[in-house]
Amino acid sequence: MKVKTAWGCMLLLFLNTLALANEMRVETATKEVELRGYTRSIKTATLSAEASGKIVKVNYEVGDSIQRRPFASIDPVFIDLDLANTRITLEKINTQLQKIQSRVAYLANEFQRKENLFAKGRATEVIRDAASQELEQARLEEEAVRQEKASLEIQLRQLQEKKERHDVAAPKNWVVTRKMVEVGEIVQPGMPLAVVQDFRQLLVPLTVSNDE
C-alpha cells in the first residue's frame, strides 16, 4: 500500500512538472518606440567655376532637378577667338607642309637622277653632293613643320578642354538647394556657384536611449 502511494505521488509530481513547463514557454517580446528625426541627403556637392568670365546663363533655380543642361554657362567669347585663331594657323601649317612634302619628293627624284649620272661618270661629285644637301635641308624643314603642327594640335585640344569648363556641370537628378550666382556676374576659378544634393537616398539621424 505504501509502494502504491509513493508511485502515485511521483506520477502526480511528473504531471505537475509537465504542466508547469507548458505554462512557462519563452516568447519574443516586442515594444513599440516612436522616434522622430529630420531627413537629409546622403551626398552634397558644391559647384565651383573652373574658368573666369561673365555668367551668361543660369539654367536652374533652387528646388530644380538637374537634367541634361549644365547648371550655368560662362561667356566663351575669348576662348572661341583663341580656338578660331589656332584653327586658322593649323590650316596654314597644313598647306605649308603639303608644299614642303611636294618639294621633298621633287628633290628626292633630282638627287636620284644626279646620283645615277654620277655613277655613269656624267656628273661631278660636287653636283651630286649639292643635290644631297638640298634634299636633306628640305627633309629637316619638313620635320620642323610636322613638330609645329603637332604642337598646334595639342594647343587646340587644350583650348577645347578649357571651353568645356565654361559650362558648369552638375550630377544628373541632383537638386539645387542653394544658388550663389546670377546672370551678369563675373566669376573666377574656384568661386562657389551653387550647392546641389542627391535626395534619391535619404539619411535620418536618430538618437536612441538605453531604455528604448
Side-chain angles (χ1 to χ4, degrees):
M1 189 68 178
K2 291 181 179 180
V3 174
K4 292 182 179 180
T5 302
W7 277 103
C9 291
M10 292 176 63
L11 179 61
L12 182 61
L13 180 61
F14 177 72
L15 293 175
N16 289 336
T17 303
L18 289 177
L20 184 61
N22 290 332
E23 293 177 358
M24 296 179 64
R25 286 178 299 177
V26 177
E27 297 182 356
T28 303
T30 59
K31 179 182 180 181
E32 293 185 1
V33 177
E34 181 178 342
L35 300 175
R36 296 184 181 183
Y38 295 96
T39 60
R40 68 184 187 189
S41 63
I42 292 182
K43 298 178 181 178
T44 300
T46 299
L47 305 181
S48 301
E50 294 187 74
S52 60
K54 182 173 67 174
I55 296 292
V56 293
K57 186 181 295 184
V58 177
N59 295 311
Y60 301 94
E61 297 295 333
V62 174
D64 291 344
S65 175
I66 301 293
Q67 298 303 315
R68 297 181 62 183
R69 296 178 300 171
F71 168 76
S73 296
I74 302 172
D75 191 358
V77 60
F78 294 110
I79 198 74
D80 285 343
L81 291 174
D82 290 339
L83 281 167
N85 183 60
T86 303
R87 290 191 179 102
I88 292 173
T89 305
L90 192 55
E91 289 177 2
K92 291 180 179 179
I93 289 294
N94 285 329
T95 301
Q96 184 181 357
L97 183 59
Q98 290 176 0
K99 290 180 179 179
I100 294 175
Q101 288 174 336
S102 177
R103 183 165 178 264
V104 167
Y106 170 77
L107 291 175
N109 290 332
E110 278 295 297
F111 170 74
Q112 189 61 49
R113 184 177 69 84
K114 292 176 181 178
E115 177 72 12
N116 293 335
L117 290 175
F118 174 76
K120 295 177 182 180
R122 297 179 183 178
T124 65
E125 185 177 359
V126 174
I127 293 176
R128 185 198 64 177
D129 291 346
S132 175
Q133 185 177 8
E134 189 174 7
L135 175 60
E136 183 65 22
Q137 289 297 323
R139 285 174 174 169
L140 290 174
E141 185 178 353
E142 179 185 6
E143 181 61 26
V145 174
R146 286 184 182 277
Q147 291 178 2
E148 186 177 357
K149 177 184 176 181
S151 178
L152 283 171
E153 288 174 342
I154 293 174
Q155 182 179 342
L156 183 62
R157 288 196 296 269
Q158 290 175 339
L159 289 172
Q160 289 171 340
E161 184 180 349
K162 286 182 179 180
K163 182 176 180 180
E164 291 178 359
R165 296 179 182 179
H166 282 65
D167 287 333
V168 182
K172 189 176 180 181
N173 294 325
W174 287 37
V175 177
V176 179
T177 56
R178 186 181 178 190
K179 189 179 75 168
M180 297 171 278
V181 69
E182 297 292 344
V183 173
E185 292 186 19
I186 303 297
V187 298
Q188 299 294 332
M191 178 177 174
L193 307 180
V195 175
V196 294
Q197 294 178 284
D198 184 7
F199 289 100
R200 290 173 295 180
Q201 290 182 323
L202 298 177
L203 179 66
V204 184
L206 296 174
T207 301
V208 182
S209 66
N210 293 330
D211 295 335
E212 294 171 334

